[in-house]
Amino acid sequence: MAHVSAVERRPQLIKAAIDLMARKGVAAGSTRAIAAELGVAQATVHYTFGTKEDLYRAVMDRLTEDLIAQVEQAVPEDAGFEEAIAALAGALWRSVSGESTSYHLLTELSLLALRTPGLSEARQAHYRGVIEVTAQLVREAAKRAGRELAQPPETIARFFLAGFDGLTIQRLYTPDETAETLGLRGLVSATTALATGQLSLADVPTD
């Protein structure tokens, strides 16, 4: 059998892990099961990645890169500001509500990373990347539309993503298509209003 280098084997194992866990859940993603998915020895996984956590980090990186690429391609270059935010929301929502399980798998891995010290860096890198891309899209949309943002792009991005994450959790636990559509449209309108200074911000006691 021809020797396959670790560099060549790495993307194969990442894909095998994604395929397996997308079908059976993160709990099924042992190094033994992932090796069997690809038809290699379990030692190959450890030789290529070191630990299961290292493999999981690589899977999160791949899923995040794919999600970011999908979102970046969804916003038309000539879109107005609200149209750009709506395109961003639509692209993300299609990844949640479509047949693809990638977003759900990324959500599962992110929740696992909250209680797995070896994955905390991957979780933070994932969300930083999503915030940075969203902020850049907001910045570019405002520039095209000739609008001056009332808040920093990163603040607007975090506001939008906080609302979107909430809608995602609701869909996972209590799906309601009518409420989800209304919530998504409301989120786009609220994000646009915050960005353009048309949203009145209430004082909230936090102490």
Side-chain angles (χ1 to χ4, degrees):
M1 181 179 295
H3 172 71
V4 179
S5 70
V7 173
E8 295 174 287
R9 189 65 81 191
R10 184 180 177 86
Q12 296 174 353
L13 284 168
I14 292 172
K15 184 179 184 304
I18 291 173
D19 290 345
L20 174 67
M21 291 190 287
R23 291 197 317 270
K24 298 185 177 181
V26 172
S30 66
T31 55
R32 182 184 299 276
I34 292 168
E37 179 80 7
L38 187 59
V40 298
Q42 184 179 8
T44 301
V45 180
H46 293 289
Y47 173 76
T48 305
F49 288 96
T51 66
K52 182 173 72 172
E53 286 74 21
D54 292 330
L55 173 57
Y56 278 19
R57 279 199 294 272
V59 168
M60 290 184 70
D61 287 344
R62 171 66 59 79
L63 291 172
T64 301
E65 290 167 5
D66 292 346
L67 176 62
I68 288 174
Q70 179 182 342
V71 169
E72 287 179 323
Q73 294 169 6
V75 180
E77 293 184 1
D78 58 347
F81 187 79
E82 186 171 20
E83 185 183 358
I85 300 301
L88 169 63
L92 284 172
W93 193 249
R94 284 192 295 274
S95 71
V96 173
S97 58
E99 294 183 1
S100 171
T101 56
S102 296
Y103 193 96
H104 294 172
L105 176 56
L106 185 54
T107 300
E108 275 192 75
L109 285 167
S110 297
L111 291 174
L112 174 66
L114 285 173
R115 57 182 184 273
T116 306
L119 293 175
S120 61
E121 182 182 341
R123 171 178 53 82
Q124 293 170 11
H126 154 64
Y127 215 77
R128 279 198 304 268
V130 174
I131 290 172
E132 289 171 4
V133 169
T134 304
Q136 183 60 29
L137 292 173
V138 168
R139 190 180 295 110
E140 291 172 355
K143 183 177 180 180
R144 281 197 306 269
R147 290 180 178 270
E148 184 175 346
L149 295 173
Q151 301 289 342
E154 291 77 11
T155 300
I156 297 166
R158 284 177 174 271
F159 175 83
F160 170 82
L161 292 169
F164 189 85
D165 288 344
L167 289 171
T168 299
I169 293 298
Q170 288 184 18
R171 181 173 182 83
L172 291 175
Y173 288 101
T174 56
D176 184 327
E177 186 174 347
T178 300
E180 290 159 5
T181 300
L182 179 62
L184 199 61
R185 294 176 64 184
L187 176 61
V188 171
S189 297
T191 302
T192 302
L194 177 68
T196 57
Q198 299 173 356
L199 183 65
S200 178
L201 299 176
D203 291 327
V204 180
T206 57
D207 296 330

